[in-house]
Amino acid sequence: FLLSAFSIGFLLVVGWWLARTMTRPLSALERGTRQIAAGHLGYRLPPPDRRDEFGRLQGSFNAMGERLDESQRALEREKSRVQAILSAVGAGVVALDGAGRVRLINDRAADLLDQSAEAVVDRSVAELVRSDGSAAAFWREVEKQRAREHRGGRDLILRHGGEERHYHLVAT
């Protein structure tokens, strides 16, 4: 009986130790994925102290995090560069993606439309058509231009507060 109790106790201790050894790296990996998912791309796991699958997984996670962080920084640099170019352009520029969502708008276009970039970017033209003010007429024309089979340039004159505003729509 004593030997059986000792054997069971020993197996419980070994089982607990194995479970802890297995779950500790998984818990760290889970914390890391939550950090990355929350946008903390600089988060890294401690350097792996193991050479098994868990150690390789930890190393791969850190390498993935580094590549994501580098890609994000490169995208931010490119966005800043494009914004600087668009700010220097005297004309208003609005860029849409294939689904008709505004991806960028420069300051001149925002001024002409009396809409802030924050109110416009990431919204669809279909939503903006329903917006208040004179900008709705502009967005209706953009929607019409997008719907045409033959894309190209078109001059547009809209009135705002008694003044004429000239636009040139280009769809490609």
Side-chain angles (χ1 to χ4, degrees):
F1 173 76
L2 192 57
L3 185 61
S4 295
F6 178 74
S7 296
I8 290 173
F10 176 75
L11 287 175
L12 286 173
V13 169
V14 169
W16 174 82
W17 177 80
L18 279 173
R20 228 169 118 63
T21 302
M22 301 290 269
T23 60
R24 194 175 310 147
L26 290 176
S27 294
L29 186 62
E30 190 243 346
R31 276 192 309 277
T33 56
R34 275 192 272 126
Q35 290 291 321
I36 296 288
H40 306 290
L41 299 181
Y43 184 85
R44 299 293 177 270
L45 296 173
D49 56 353
R50 304 166 62 142
R51 293 181 180 211
D52 61 359
E53 290 83 3
F54 291 119
R56 287 194 299 275
L57 189 58
Q58 244 179 306
S60 295
F61 176 86
N62 287 339
M64 175 194 68
E66 186 62 37
R67 283 192 296 276
L68 283 171
D69 202 20
E70 287 172 11
S71 295
Q72 182 67 29
R73 284 194 306 266
L75 285 171
E76 288 170 3
R77 281 191 306 271
E78 182 64 17
K79 182 179 178 183
S80 294
R81 188 179 76 76
V82 168
Q83 286 292 5
I85 292 167
L86 291 177
S87 293
V89 172
V93 177
V94 177
L96 309 175
D97 64 14
R101 297 187 85 72
V102 177
R103 287 295 157 216
L104 66 89
I105 180 170
N106 71 351
D107 292 339
R108 179 69 178 133
D111 288 343
L112 284 169
L113 295 171
D114 289 326
Q115 291 183 308
S116 69
E118 294 80 23
V120 172
V121 173
D122 291 330
R123 291 185 61 198
S124 70
V125 173
E127 288 177 76
L128 294 167
V129 164
R130 296 186 300 269
S131 62
D132 294 330
S134 61
F138 172 80
W139 296 115
R140 277 193 298 275
E141 293 301 323
V142 169
E143 187 67 14
K144 287 179 193 173
Q145 189 73 8
R146 286 187 69 243
R148 291 188 177 145
E149 269 187 47
H150 175 66
R151 304 243 172 134
R154 178 169 172 241
D155 289 322
L156 176 64
I157 300 171
L158 297 175
R159 294 201 177 279
H160 176 70
E163 73 177 81
E164 284 186 350
R165 292 191 176 181
H166 295 257
Y167 302 90
H168 184 73
L169 300 178
V170 178
T172 56

